[in-house]
Amino acid sequence: MRRSCPRIVVAAALAVLLVASGCTPSDEDDAFRPGGADVGDPYVPGYGNGGYDVAHYALDVRYDPATDRLTGRTVMTATATQGLSRFNLDLAGLNVDRVIVDGATAKHRRTGNELVVEPAHGVPRGTRFTVEVAYAGVPAPVTDGPLGSGGFLHTDDGAIALGQPDSAATWFPVNGHPSDKATYDIAVTVPDGLAALSNGVPGPKRSDGGWTTWRWSERSPMASYLTTLVIGDYRVSTGTHEGLPMVTAVPSGEPPNGPAAASLARTGEIVDFLAGRFGPYPFEAYGGVAVADERIGYALETQSRPVYGPGFFADGRPNFDVVAHELAHQWFGDSVSLSRWSDIWLNEGFATYAEWLWEEHDGGRSAQQTFEARYATTDWTRPAVDPGREGMFGTAVYLRGALAVHALRRTVGDDAFFRILRQWTTERRDRNGGTADLVALAQRVSGRQLRPLMDAWLTGGSAP
C-alpha cells in the first residue's frame, strides 16, 4: 500500500534536512483509478490483476458433457487495495451475461482473456466488495502452456479442468496469480451417474430432475492454478484419515486393485511420513484423483486432492514416488505458495527431495545415494532460480533444487535442517514466500551465513 509523508524542508548551503511529520494517504491513494490488468510477472504475462485482494470465491457451475456447454455463476469477495474506477478479471473464452458489483449492475467488456468491469460507483480503498459474474459457453483448453494440454478439457465421459501455471480462467473469472490466494466454495452440477470432483471438504450431494450437484469447500487459501474439476465415470472412495475426510477416485474402467488405485491407497501413509518431516498437514481433507486422458502427461498438486495422469501407471505397477512428490507440494507450493514464478524451484525442489526421503523410508536408496547419482549427471549451466518461462518445468528446477536442499541439510545438520523446514511451513502457512525469504530463515535458524552456499547450488555455472 503506497503512502506518502509530508516533509518539513530546511535548506542549508549544501544540504537539505528532511523531517517527517507523519504519514497520511496521498490524493493519488484516495482517487478512483483503474486497477492493473497484469501483476507484472514476466513468466505469466497478462495473468493476475491489481487493485484488489480476493478473500473468497463461490463457484456454481453446471456442465453438460453431451453439448460441452458450461454455465456458471461466480461470486467473488475482495477488498480494494486502491480506489477503483474499474478492475479486471482473468476469463478466457466464455461469454459474460451480466456483472453485478455490490448489488448494482456494472458495465463490462472483454479484451482478449480479460474481463474489464466498471462498477456503477467507484470502490474506495480499503472497502470490501462483492462481484457476481454470470457466464456461459463452451470452455476451451490451453494448448500452449509450459506443461502442454491443460485448462478445461472435454473428455469422452466428462471434462478435466487442470493445468499450471494457468487453468482456472478457462472455467471461472479469477485473479489468476498465486500472489492472490483465496478460499473457495464450489458447487458442480452434472448429469446423474457422473462424478464431479474438486478441492477440499466434500459437502452434501443433491439430485433433481436427472442432475446431481456435488459440493466442495476449500477453507484454506488456495492459489487459483491449484483448483481442479474432474467430471466423469469414476470409482469414488470416501473415508477418513486422522479425523479428516479422504476422497480418492480412479476411472471406473480400471480394476479396483490396479496400479493407480494401489498408489492412491497409500496416500494417508505417505502424508503421515511427510508430516513427520515437514510439520502438521496443512489442510482439512486428503485425497487424489487418477485420470485416464492421455493428454494429461503430468501430475499436479491440486490442493488437498492431487490429479495424476495415466503415464505414471503405464507400466502396470504402482508409483508411490509420484504420490510422495504431489503430497509434498501440499506443504511446498500449496500451503506456502511462491510469490513469483521465477522461484518455482521452491515448489519442485522440495517435492523432488521428498521423493528421495520417501524412497529411503520405503526401503530403496538413501537420499545421499540419490544425491550422489544426480550430482554426477547435472548440467550446471542451467539455473534452478529464474530459469526463464521455457525452463520453468525443466530438469534444473527439479533436480538442482533438490540437490540444493540436500546440500543445505549436509551443511547445517539434520536437527537444524528439519527445524528450518518446519518453521518455513509453520510461519508461512497459507501465505507466500520467495528464495530470499527461505535463505533468511535458514540463516536465522542455523546461525550460519548460507547465501553463498545456496547461490552456488541454485545458480552457479559450475559444479559446487
Side-chain angles (χ1 to χ4, degrees):
M1 185 177 296
R2 289 179 57 202
R3 301 177 79 88
S4 62
C5 299
R7 291 170 173 85
I8 301 170
V9 181
V10 181
L14 296 174
V16 177
L17 176 65
L18 300 179
V19 181
S21 62
C23 291
T24 58
S26 70
D27 292 339
E28 183 183 359
D29 286 328
D30 288 336
F32 296 124
R33 62 189 194 279
D38 189 322
V39 297
D41 189 332
Y43 282 62
V44 285
Y47 274 81
N49 305 283
Y52 60 92
D53 177 43
V54 183
H56 184 71
Y57 295 95
L59 311 181
D60 190 346
V61 300
R62 180 185 180 102
Y63 180 70
D64 185 355
T67 62
D68 197 18
R69 182 172 175 81
L70 180 144
T71 58
R73 174 179 173 270
T74 291
V75 178
M76 181 187 83
T77 303
T79 299
T81 58
Q82 66 172 62
L84 288 170
S85 60
R86 70 171 186 259
F87 56 88
N88 286 30
L89 290 163
D90 300 311
L91 183 64
L94 296 168
N95 300 315
V96 175
D97 297 322
R98 69 177 183 275
V99 179
I100 297 173
V101 178
D102 283 342
T105 300
K107 295 178 182 179
H108 67 274
R109 58 184 170 84
R110 298 296 294 271
T111 302
N113 291 336
E114 296 287 314
L115 173 63
V116 184
V117 178
E118 185 177 341
H121 306 285
V123 182
R125 184 170 59 92
T127 300
R128 194 174 181 89
F129 64 104
T130 61
V131 183
E132 177 185 336
V133 182
Y135 55 99
V138 176
V142 175
T143 58
D144 59 350
L147 284 178
S149 295
F152 197 100
L153 298 168
H154 178 67
T155 65
D156 292 339
D157 59 350
I160 302 169
L162 188 73
Q164 187 182 9
D166 47 14
S167 61
T170 61
W171 62 288
F172 65 94
V174 62
N175 193 8
H177 192 272
S179 58
D180 192 4
K181 301 167 69 170
T183 57
Y184 286 75
D185 284 304
I186 302 171
V188 188
T189 302
V190 295
D192 286 348
L194 297 183
L197 302 154
S198 192
N199 308 86
V201 176
K205 286 188 295 183
R206 180 182 177 184
S207 295
D208 182 33
W211 295 79
T212 299
T213 300
W214 296 62
R215 297 185 182 277
W216 305 91
S217 178
E218 181 47 82
R219 298 161 188 157
S220 297
M222 176 166 62
S224 61
Y225 79 93
L226 297 172
T227 59
T228 189
L229 184 57
V230 178
I231 298 169
D233 185 11
Y234 286 84
R235 183 184 301 108
V236 181
S237 300
T238 59
T240 60
H241 181 75
E242 297 295 326
L244 300 177
M246 169 83 78
V247 180
T248 59
V250 298
S252 292
E254 296 188 7
N257 59 348
S263 300
L264 269 59
R266 294 186 76 179
T267 293
E269 176 190 354
I270 294 172
V271 165
D272 290 347
F273 166 76
L274 296 175
R277 275 71 181 165
F278 302 156
Y281 181 69
F283 303 124
E284 295 182 341
Y286 305 93
V289 180
V291 298
D293 195 299
E294 296 291 343
R295 290 173 294 177
I296 307 299
Y298 52 88
L300 188 60
E301 61 270 20
T302 44
Q303 191 156 306
S304 74
R305 196 151 292 116
V307 176
Y308 304 91
F312 294 97
F313 314 109
D315 63 359
R317 295 181 296 175
N319 187 333
F320 305 118
D321 289 346
V322 70
V323 176
H325 184 106
E326 303 309 326
L327 291 177
H329 275 308
Q330 305 307 302
W331 287 266
F332 296 95
D334 294 11
S335 179
V336 185
S337 300
L338 45 77
S339 300
R340 285 290 184 268
W341 284 105
S342 56
D343 277 329
I344 191 173
W345 84 273
L346 287 170
N347 296 11
E348 302 301 348
F350 279 98
T352 301
Y353 193 65
E355 292 185 55
W356 301 1
L357 294 175
W358 171 257
E359 182 182 1
E360 179 177 330
H361 171 78
D362 205 34
R365 292 183 301 180
S366 69
Q368 176 65 22
Q369 289 171 325
T370 304
F371 168 85
E372 291 170 359
R374 296 299 189 184
Y375 178 92
T377 60
T378 295
D379 178 357
W380 298 100
T381 66
R382 298 181 180 274
V385 177
D386 200 9
R389 179 176 167 85
E390 296 304 315
M392 64 189 297
F393 297 108
T395 302
V397 167
Y398 291 73
L399 293 182
R400 278 196 72 166
L403 291 168
V405 171
H406 191 72
L408 174 64
R409 178 182 179 183
R410 289 292 305 271
T411 300
V412 303
D414 278 11
D415 181 66
F417 173 76
F418 286 109
R419 279 193 288 121
I420 290 166
L421 268 54
R422 286 189 288 268
Q423 285 191 225
W424 177 254
T425 61
T426 299
E427 294 179 7
R428 292 189 174 268
R429 181 171 178 167
D430 297 336
R431 298 168 55 206
N432 301 75
T435 301
D437 300 314
L438 177 68
V439 174
L441 173 66
Q443 293 183 152
R444 171 161 56 88
V445 172
S446 67
R448 302 183 62 161
Q449 174 55 251
L450 297 170
R451 179 84 258 179
L453 172 86
M454 299 304 287
D455 284 346
W457 286 91
L458 292 169
T459 62
S462 58

